[in-house]
Amino acid sequence: MFTIFIFSVLSFFLGMILSIAAYKFQLKKDPAIEIINELLPQSQCAQCGYSGCYPYAEAIVSNSEKIDKCIPGGADLISQIAKVLNIEIPLDILLIKNKEIFNTTVLIDEKNCVGCAKCATFCPVDAIIGAPNFMHTVLQEFCTGCNICLSHCPTNCIQIKKRDL
């Protein structure tokens, strides 16, 4: 009984020491990273070369990464990030990115779709709809053209197509 009391008191005091240390030695996050992360589309499509939007935001602020790598964000996102970082972007880059964005989409060949739903599971923007064991379809207005679904389709029934502009 006495042992339990000693360990309880010891645990309480060690917990207090840990909470005080955590308060005193907080890691300060760069607010620019948080702001840029909020601006990013959070689709986690990895088209920028990073595993998600937060690592890309960290790279922009910490490693001076290019701000035009987010394809789903487009030219509007580039302008917003440039405003946050207080840098100037040449107009020709914005025009090129505006034409580049959403150039492609995917189309599911309904005859070959077996309804496995793997494509819908991996779509970062939920542009593929359909129930398991039934045919799936792509909502063109939501598809960012990241093509992640291509590698997960076992029947290769997903094709890349040029978006009708």
Side-chain angles (χ1 to χ4, degrees), residues 95-158:
L95 292 174
I96 290 169
K97 283 296 174 184
N98 231 5
K99 289 180 184 173
E100 244 178 54
I101 194 66
F102 297 120
N103 251 0
T104 61
T105 185
V106 294
L107 186 67
I108 297 177
D109 180 14
E110 298 169 359
K111 294 176 190 167
N112 295 326
C113 180
V114 294
C116 68
K118 289 182 181 178
C119 58
T121 304
F122 288 100
C123 180
V125 293
D126 294 329
I128 301 174
I129 57 170
N133 299 321
F134 288 95
M135 178 191 67
H136 290 75
T137 190
V138 179
L139 299 173
Q140 302 297 321
E141 59 270 10
F142 297 114
C143 180
T144 61
C146 69
N147 303 330
I148 292 175
C149 55
L150 292 175
S151 60
H152 296 287
C153 180
T155 60
N156 294 327
C157 67
I158 302 175

Side-chain angles (χ1 to χ4, degrees), residues 75-90:
D76 292 336
L77 178 68
I78 294 170
S79 300
Q80 291 172 342
I81 293 174
K83 241 184 240 179
V84 168
L85 297 176
N86 200 20
I87 58 176
E88 204 167 310
I89 300 296

Side-chain angles (χ1 to χ4, degrees), residues 47-77:
Q47 291 183 69
C48 60
Y50 292 91
S51 60
C53 293
Y54 192 82
Y56 180 48
E58 280 182 320
I60 289 172
V61 175
S62 305
N63 302 337
S64 300
E65 182 66 76
K66 292 182 179 179
I67 64 171
D68 63 347
K69 287 188 166 187
C70 182
I71 294 172
D76 292 336
L77 178 68

